[in-house]
Amino acid sequence: MSDTIKIGRVTIPRTAALAPMAGVADRAYRLMCKRYGAAYVVSEMVSAKGICYSDRKTAELCTVTDEERPMAVQLFGSEPDFMAEAVKIVLEYAPDIIDINMGCPVPKVVGTGAGSALMKDVKLAASITEVAVKAAGDVPVTVKIRSGWNSDSINAPEMAKALESAGAAAIAVHGRTRDMFYSGESDSGIIRAVKQAVSVPVIGNGDVTDGASCKAMYEETGCDLVMIGRGSYGNPFIFRETEAALKGEEYIPPSLDEKMRVMLEHIRLILELSGKCEELAMHEARKHAAWYMNGYYGSARFRGRCYQLSSYAEAEALAEEFMELQKSREINNM
């Protein structure tokens, strides 16, 4: 098995990619994950119609920096004409790949006929893909789907075949139906079925939380690349871990000191890149700070305090206090 995969003209290491996550995977998040080994990253999803109407956030959401490459800009929408026009606009930002979201389960997206609502209309999904591929020229277009709309309509293999015929260069599959949202178990069997149904690369997504589950996804599905979403929350190290697991190497988890150092580095990046005043930028940083503290003694109380942070100095002080608590507990347990 090759150590890389090709999506169109783009070569990607065959380790693990960062999934697109609205409200989470902004540039600061993507950069942190790239620094710890993410093979490929995808932007937060961007409204195709919003871009066409010169949405003020377009540049912020679509800009691709060299450190993030290879990177895709992800679009969502339900109208082929708007999708085609949006692709042409996005090309000005020179993404490596353009991805179309046909898997988002949230009501405000599904209610417009976009996201996972397109799992119910394979013909429209294929039309959207076809016009996007035509507009993109030599930039590959990929599509992210779910296993189906609900348990009575598991149609990912059928959908994937139609998208491949429409010109999609790769298909990413989240192994849950729309009505599951993020609950229950992701079905690796449906990812395997999609892999068997198409000849383009297939990216597996769902319930990858560590090196072992990443390796299992590859082995159980035969997928060409694994994509990690929520497993990266407060844990950019997961990409280092998955790479070690795939190479059969020992993985040494980060110490608490390293986790807190990286947390503060992440917060500094948010402050630097957000374009907002410190207090407003810290609002965005709060959830990330809380995620870095998960799984430790007393973390519930500290996570609650993370949601009150309004300055970097407060974050530094809280990290120091958190480390002191863990050290004192270690001493008391000796």
Side-chain angles (χ1 to χ4, degrees):
M1 188 67 71
S2 172
D3 291 336
T4 61
I5 70 160
K6 291 209 76 164
I7 296 178
R9 62 185 185 178
V10 182
T11 301
I12 300 172
R14 196 169 183 265
T15 50
L18 176 66
M21 294 178 285
V24 176
D26 59 9
R27 180 166 301 112
Y29 198 96
R30 297 192 300 267
L31 286 170
M32 292 305 299
C33 291
K34 283 292 288 187
R35 290 173 188 180
Y36 282 88
Y40 164 60
V41 300
V42 186
S43 74
E44 298 176 85
M45 62 180 181
V46 190
S47 165
K49 186 175 281 189
I51 286 178
C52 294
Y53 286 120
S54 299
D55 187 293
R56 61 183 177 81
K57 290 188 71 178
T58 297
E60 176 189 336
L61 292 169
C62 297
T63 298
V64 179
T65 62
D66 287 343
E67 195 177 345
E68 294 170 276
R69 295 185 187 279
M71 176 178 160
V73 171
Q74 188 184 70
L75 300 172
F76 74 94
S78 58
E79 296 162 272
D81 289 348
F82 279 114
M83 185 61 70
E85 187 59 32
V87 168
K88 292 173 187 174
I89 294 168
V90 167
L91 289 176
E92 296 172 13
Y93 296 90
D96 300 294
I97 292 170
I98 291 174
D99 186 55
I100 303 175
N101 184 305
M102 297 187 184
C104 178
V106 302
K108 70 178 182 180
V109 172
V110 169
T112 68
S116 55
L118 288 165
M119 298 299 300
K120 297 189 291 182
D121 194 336
V122 174
K123 187 175 179 181
L124 177 58
S127 295
I128 289 169
T129 303
E130 188 173 2
V131 299
V133 169
K134 186 176 179 182
D138 61 355
V139 175
V141 172
T142 61
V143 186
K144 192 166 192 286
I145 65 175
R146 282 195 166 226
S147 60
W149 176 253
N150 57 35
S151 59
D152 296 323
S153 59
I154 304 293
N155 65 337
E158 174 199 350
M159 178 81 147
K161 284 183 193 176
L163 299 176
E164 179 182 32
S165 295
I171 313 288
V173 189
H174 185 122
R176 288 182 172 85
T177 58
R178 185 270 170 171
D179 63 355
M180 291 174 72
F181 280 77
Y182 299 99
S183 64
E185 287 187 13
S186 176
D187 181 5
S188 61
I190 197 68
I191 300 170
R192 183 171 62 249
V194 170
K195 175 59 184 169
Q196 292 168 350
V198 298
S199 59
V200 294
V202 171
I203 302 169
N205 179 217
D207 291 352
V208 176
T209 56
D210 54 22
S213 53
C214 178
K215 188 175 182 182
M217 172 76 83
Y218 276 116
E219 292 171 348
E220 291 170 11
T221 69
C223 69
D224 300 279
L225 186 65
V226 167
M227 185 168 267
I228 299 174
R230 291 172 297 153
S232 67
Y233 284 5
N235 185 27
F237 317 97
I238 192 169
F239 297 99
R240 191 166 64 184
E241 180 182 357
T242 54
E243 189 170 0
L246 294 170
K247 290 180 177 177
E249 297 173 354
E250 181 185 7
Y251 170 68
I252 301 173
S255 64
L256 176 62
D257 284 6
E258 185 181 1
K259 286 195 81 170
M260 291 299 97
R261 177 183 61 75
V262 172
M263 178 193 82
L264 292 172
E265 180 186 352
H266 191 161
I267 292 174
R268 288 195 301 273
L269 261 181
I270 292 171
L271 294 173
E272 176 189 335
L273 297 172
S274 74
K276 299 176 181 177
C277 69
E278 182 177 26
E279 186 172 357
L280 286 178
M282 283 303 300
H283 280 246
E284 296 179 13
R286 289 171 175 177
K287 61 179 176 283
H288 298 286
W291 288 332
Y292 279 95
M293 292 182 175
N294 248 339
Y296 291 93
Y297 173 73
S299 63
R301 178 167 58 89
F302 274 83
R303 289 198 309 272
R305 290 174 62 188
C306 285
Y307 287 96
Q308 307 301 317
L309 293 172
S310 59
S311 71
Y312 179 74
E314 289 176 6
E316 275 190 312
L318 191 63
E320 190 63 38
E321 188 180 340
F322 188 63
M323 288 189 288
E324 286 300 321
L325 174 67
Q326 306 309 317
K327 288 170 185 172
S328 64
R329 184 167 185 258
E330 285 177 17
I331 291 169
N332 290 335
N333 288 341
M334 287 176 68

